[in-house]
Amino acid sequence: KAVVPFVGREVPIIGDEDVDLEFGTGALKVTPAHDMNDYKLGMKHDLEFIKIMNKDGTLNGVSGKYAGLDRFKARDKIWEDMVACGMSIKTEEYETRVPKSQRGGGGIEPMLSGQ
């Protein structure tokens, strides 16, 4: 198991043949409630589906001290905190695989919801 920094939640470490070993380090965090590919991995490996985002794009109470922050501000703040704690090794530019909206071009933030 690993511990999620700043919230102290334990998460399992799994192996899966669908992970692209050529992209980045070959390791990835899995967020089944907020990513379509991760959803499939979550179902396959019986992972916990934890929703961290509100419908307005702010983080909810399971996000610890980042609760209430807009998702973009929260990402910046988490990175700042990781650097301050010595958790970052290096920064590297890369092209993300975040799906984009056809209409507006913005990133799509999937989340579980009742239909």
Side-chain angles (χ1 to χ4, degrees), residues 1-114:
K1 292 190 176 204
V3 177
V4 178
F6 310 119
V7 294
R9 182 174 49 252
E10 285 190 349
V11 293
I13 297 174
I14 61 169
D16 193 277
E17 64 276 358
D18 289 334
V19 175
D20 183 356
L21 299 177
E22 302 301 316
F23 182 73
T25 64
L28 68 119
K29 62 158 182 56
V30 179
T31 53
H34 296 283
D35 180 271
M36 292 174 277
N37 292 320
D38 291 359
Y39 177 85
K40 294 174 193 169
L41 283 173
M43 294 297 288
K44 182 177 179 181
H45 294 282
D46 195 29
L47 301 177
E48 187 175 4
F49 286 65
I50 301 169
K51 291 170 53 173
I52 66 160
M53 199 178 313
N54 298 310
K55 289 182 179 179
D56 65 359
T58 59
L59 300 191
N60 66 26
V62 300
S63 303
K65 67 181 184 177
Y66 307 104
L69 291 177
D70 171 81
R71 66 192 180 279
F72 298 116
K73 290 180 181 173
R75 289 174 184 149
D76 290 341
K77 179 65 175 140
I78 292 167
W79 184 250
E80 286 175 23
D81 291 350
M82 289 178 70
V83 169
C85 291
M87 292 180 175
S88 65
I89 297 169
K90 66 180 177 178
T91 302
E92 234 177 80
E93 292 290 323
Y94 68 94
E95 182 144 344
T96 64
R97 296 180 176 181
V98 175
K100 303 281 185 192
S101 165
Q102 289 179 329
R103 290 185 180 167
I108 297 172
E109 300 275 359
M111 67 185 306
L112 290 177
S113 64

